[in-house]
């Protein structure tokens, strides 16, 4: 089974993907995560992507698509992927459909998460990640016992470079403009399932089994 999780930044796709991958036995592919690793490793792709990411814009289609389709087509992902952050444009969606079709696969479902913009901005600007073990926190909803220190391993917590308010709002605007045609593309294929991403992690997770069987 190949699934796509869609919805604006901060809606909780990554968190739900981490829970779903174990439940469904799929490989979670987050293009944002892969790109951030390229930036940290200063690869040519990372160098080309970095400026776009800092401004909250999209990395050009040809760069992201090649990277994402390599992963989707790899042996590790043959049994199915859980895509998070890809496709983000109509060109990416068409390229994904073509690559899957070559392997007799298709996008079986697109889960579309939504939440009000102010809640998304609050979630994005407050989230922190442990620089040591990668554990996730939120300054309001899930604060660490000691400010800016990981409860699990004691390393410093960091905020993503693109999670300041101005960049978060730019990312939300970019998402609204480019994701709508992708959603319409999959709506016409009849595979979109709608999920309210407003609740807690557990509340949203509880909606998914029904949405996926719809
Ligand atoms: P995310 O972690 O999904 O919020 O992605 C972080 C940033 O990575 C985005 O703001 C984009 O700059 C870039 N990015 C991730 N996925 C894509 C994609 N499919 N197409 C273009 N840019 C992307």
């Amino acid at each position: 089974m190949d699934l796509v999780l869609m919805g604006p930044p901060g809606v909780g796709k990554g968190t739900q993907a981490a829970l779903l991958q174990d439940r469904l036995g799929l490989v979670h592919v987050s293009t944002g995560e892969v790109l951030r690793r390229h930036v940290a490793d200063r690869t040519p792709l990372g160098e080309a992507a970095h400026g776009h990411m800092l401004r909250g814009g999209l990395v050009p289609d040809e760069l992201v698509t090649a990277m994402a389709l390599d992963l989707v087509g790899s042996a590790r992902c043959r049994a199915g992927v859980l895509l998070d952050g890809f496709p983000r444009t109509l060109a990416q969606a068409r390229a994904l459909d073509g690559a899957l079709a070559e392997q007799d696969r298709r996008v079986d479902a697109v889960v579309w998460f939504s939440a009000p913009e102010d809640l998304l901005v609050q979630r994005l600007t407050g989230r922190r990640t442990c620089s040591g073990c990668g554990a996730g926190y939120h300054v309001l909803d899930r604060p660490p016992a000691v400010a800016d220190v990981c409860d699990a391993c004691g390393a410093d917590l960091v905020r993503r470079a693109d999670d300041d308010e101005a960049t978060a709002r730019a990312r939300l605007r970019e998402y609204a403009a480019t994701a709508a045609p992708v959603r319409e593309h999959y709506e016409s294929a009849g595979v979109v399932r709608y999920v309210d991403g407003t609740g807690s992690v557990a509340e949203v997770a509880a909606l998914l089994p029904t949405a996926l069987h719809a």
Side-chain angles (χ1 to χ4, degrees), residues 7-142:
V11 81
K13 300 182 296 291
T15 307
Q16 295 300 330
L19 301 174
L20 263 184
Q21 68 171 349
D22 296 335
R23 207 193 293 162
L24 300 177
L26 302 174
V27 178
H28 175 200
V29 173
S30 157
T31 45
E33 270 306 312
V34 179
L35 287 168
R36 280 188 287 282
R37 230 174 299 134
H38 276 276
V39 170
D41 294 344
R42 298 178 171 236
T43 67
L45 173 58
E47 300 285 300
H50 196 190
H52 300 283
M53 294 172 75
L54 280 180
R55 286 189 296 277
L58 289 186
V59 175
D61 278 340
E62 60 277 14
L63 298 178
V64 179
T65 302
M67 174 199 90
L69 296 188
D70 267 359
L71 288 167
V72 169
S74 67
R76 187 170 81 90
C77 295
R78 271 303 144 81
V81 276
L82 190 51
L83 283 167
D84 159 15
F86 184 90
R88 275 239 215 335
T89 66
L90 196 51
Q92 292 178 13
R94 291 194 170 128
L96 172 66
D97 294 348
L100 288 175
E102 278 175 24
Q103 295 189 342
D104 272 333
R105 295 158 63 185
R106 63 191 281 270
V107 172
D108 294 294
V110 172
V111 183
W112 179 273
F113 295 92
S114 57
E117 176 167 335
D118 284 346
L119 177 64
L120 296 172
V121 171
Q122 190 196 87
R123 284 187 183 166
L124 289 168
T125 54
R127 69 184 179 182
R128 302 288 184 273
T129 308
C130 174
S131 56
C133 68
Y137 294 86
H138 191 281
V139 293
L140 300 176
D141 301 338
R142 196 166 169 257

Side-chain angles (χ1 to χ4, degrees), residues 183-196:
R183 186 174 74 176
E184 285 156 19
H185 172 76
Y186 288 115
E187 275 169 344
S188 51
V191 295
V192 181
R193 315 279 179 248
Y194 301 91
V195 169
D196 181 357

